[in-house]
Amino acid sequence: MPIRIIGMIGVTPPASDTQLIVIEGALSPDYVVEFAKAHESAGFDMALVGYSSSSAEGFLVAQHAAANTERLGYMIAHRPGFVAPTLMARKIATFDQITRGRLAIHIITGKSDAEQQGDGDYSPKTERYARASEYLALMRQIWSRQEPFDFAGDFYRVNGAASDVFPYQQPHPPLFFGGASEGALTMGAEHCDIYAIYGEPLATTAERITDFRKRAAPFGRTPGFNASFRPIIAETEAVAWAKADRILAGMAGAKGWARQENIGAPVDNAGKRIYDMALRQDVYDSCLWMGVAKATGALGNTSCLVGTPEQVADAIVAYYELGVTSILIRGFDPFDDTITFGRELIPRIRAGVAAIDNANATGSSG
C-alpha cells in the first residue's frame, strides 16, 4: 500500500534555520498559505497543524490553508476536554465535508501538566486519558448513529444527542494518537486508527508494533503506524553530518515550547524513551541520530535521520517494511526543507515503497 507522507506547517516564519518547534508564534495568514502550498507542491499527503496552550487555533489555521490548496490534507492536533465531544464531532464532520475528506485528527491529552494548565485544565494525566477515551467513544457514536441517543459516562452525559452532518470519510476521518503510557495505549487500542511514535531504532519499533497490534486485536481493530523523523540530508554523507553538527550547535538552550524552556528532561513517557536511547548511543541502525534529542531533553520530535537522500530514503523504507504506514518528516529549516524533501527525498521514498509492494505482489501471485 502507498505510504502516507506528512509534513507540518507553522503559523509564522521561523526565527532561525535551526528551529526546534514550529507550533508557537504570532499568526501570519499569508505564511500559512505559502507554507501549505509548499507542502502540496512537494508531494506531501498531509500537513500537521499542531497545538500548544498559546498557539493559534488549529482548526481555523487548517481551514484557511485548506481553502487555499487543492489536494493537501490536514492532520489537526486536538486535546479532548476543552470542547464538548458532541460539538467536536460535528465540527470534525463539517470540516471533513467541506474539504471532501482532507482531514485527520491527532488526539493528544497534553504535553505536560504545566502546559495543560495554560488552558485551565488541572486534571492529572491518568484522568485525562480516561476522559479522552470516553470523549472518543461519544464522538464515534455521533458519527455513526442516525437516531438521537443518550450517553452517560464518568465525564460526559448527554440526552438526545444527534447530528445532521456526518463525515465525508467513513466511518470517520483517521484518528491518530501518540504516547507510551498505559493510559495512552489503552485509549488508542480501543478508539484510534494510527499509533504515532517518535522515530526509534528498528528493533524497538518492531517491538512496539507487535505489542500494539496485540492490544488492538480484542477490539477488532487493525491499526496503522506513523513514525516521526527530522531528516538532515545533503549531497554527500560527510556534508550531511557537517550540517547535523551545525544544527546541533544551534540548539544550545533550545527546550521546545515556551512552557518547557526551564525544563531539562522529557515531560512524557514517549520523550523519556527517546531520551534514554539518546543517552545510551548517538547513532542507531544506518543513520538514526539522537544528538538533538540528547541536547534538548527530547522535548518534542527530535529523532533525526542523517545522510544523503538515498540513505535517508532507504532508512525510512526500512520502517515501512516493519509495518509503518505513514511518516511525519520535517526539517530544522522548516520551509526550505519542505521544498528540498519534495525534490530529493519524497520521490525516493515512494519509489522504494512501490518496489517493495510490487515485489510482495509478485511473490504472492507466484
Side-chain angles (χ1 to χ4, degrees), residues 84-134:
T86 49
L87 173 57
M88 180 52 61
R90 299 197 304 275
K91 185 173 181 177
I92 289 170
T94 301
F95 191 108
D96 201 41
Q97 284 287 347
I98 289 173
T99 62
R100 298 295 191 269
R102 293 160 59 194
L103 176 64
I105 301 297
H106 183 47
I107 299 296
I108 52 177
T109 62
K111 190 67 178 174
S112 68
D113 288 346
E115 206 268 335
Q116 190 80 355
Q117 288 166 10
D119 270 332
D121 184 9
Y122 288 79
S123 304
K125 179 168 280 191
T126 54
E127 182 177 303
R128 296 201 299 268
Y129 278 121
R131 181 180 65 191
S133 185
E134 191 172 296

Side-chain angles (χ1 to χ4, degrees), residues 57-346:
E57 202 284 315
F59 274 84
L60 292 177
V61 170
Q63 181 181 20
H64 178 60
N68 288 279
T69 51
E70 297 179 358
R71 178 194 56 80
L72 187 69
Y74 297 89
M75 182 168 71
I76 305 174
H78 174 62
R79 294 187 183 178
F82 300 113
V83 179
T86 49
L87 173 57
M88 180 52 61
R90 299 197 304 275
K91 185 173 181 177
I92 289 170
T94 301
F95 191 108
D96 201 41
Q97 284 287 347
I98 289 173
T99 62
R100 298 295 191 269
R102 293 160 59 194
L103 176 64
I105 301 297
H106 183 47
I107 299 296
I108 52 177
T109 62
K111 190 67 178 174
S112 68
D113 288 346
E115 206 268 335
Q116 190 80 355
Q117 288 166 10
D119 270 332
D121 184 9
Y122 288 79
S123 304
K125 179 168 280 191
T126 54
E127 182 177 303
R128 296 201 299 268
Y129 278 121
R131 181 180 65 191
S133 185
E134 191 172 296
Y135 189 100
L136 290 169
L138 180 48
M139 283 208 304
R140 289 173 63 195
Q141 289 194 52
I142 288 287
W143 291 327
S144 63
R145 300 184 65 158
Q146 301 294 321
E147 300 296 330
F149 65 93
D150 299 340
F151 182 98
D154 295 329
F155 301 93
Y156 300 102
R157 179 180 177 183
V158 297
N159 293 314
S163 178
D164 296 329
V165 58
F166 294 89
Y168 183 89
Q169 301 172 83
Q170 287 295 313
H172 51 72
L175 298 175
F176 288 65
F177 87 101
S181 69
E182 193 62 31
L185 295 169
T186 299
M187 175 200 75
E190 183 175 2
H191 296 295
C192 296
D193 306 302
I194 297 101
Y195 183 21
I197 61 176
Y198 293 139
E200 294 188 4
L202 291 167
T204 59
T205 300
E207 291 170 359
R208 298 188 76 182
I209 288 174
T210 298
D211 174 75
F212 191 71
R213 282 174 174 164
K214 291 178 180 177
R215 291 173 180 269
F219 299 102
R221 306 179 65 81
T222 303
F225 298 88
N226 180 88
S228 298
F229 300 100
R230 308 292 288 261
I232 301 173
I233 61 174
E235 60 273 18
T236 69
E237 187 175 358
V239 173
W241 281 106
K243 184 178 178 181
D245 290 339
R246 180 181 62 79
I247 289 171
L248 182 60
M251 288 291 138
K255 297 297 181 185
W257 300 338
R259 291 181 183 275
Q260 297 174 343
E261 283 299 329
N262 295 321
I263 300 174
V267 296
D268 59 9
N269 287 306
K272 290 174 184 175
R273 286 181 60 90
I274 296 299
Y275 191 56
D276 288 345
M277 292 173 185
L279 292 178
R280 290 196 300 267
Q281 196 169 319
D282 285 336
V283 180
Y284 290 84
D285 301 322
S286 62
C287 60
L288 178 64
W289 180 53
M290 297 296 192
V292 173
K294 184 189 294 185
T296 62
L299 294 170
N301 177 15
T302 50
S303 302
C304 302
L305 294 171
V306 184
T308 65
E310 293 85 358
Q311 290 172 324
V312 171
D314 287 346
I316 289 173
V317 171
Y319 286 90
Y320 177 77
E321 290 186 279
L322 292 180
V324 171
T325 49
S326 68
I327 59 163
L328 192 154
I329 53 174
R330 59 189 177 98
F332 293 102
D333 186 355
F335 192 97
D336 288 345
D337 282 344
T338 294
I339 297 170
T340 301
F341 293 166
R343 183 180 65 247
E344 302 291 345
L345 191 56
I346 291 176

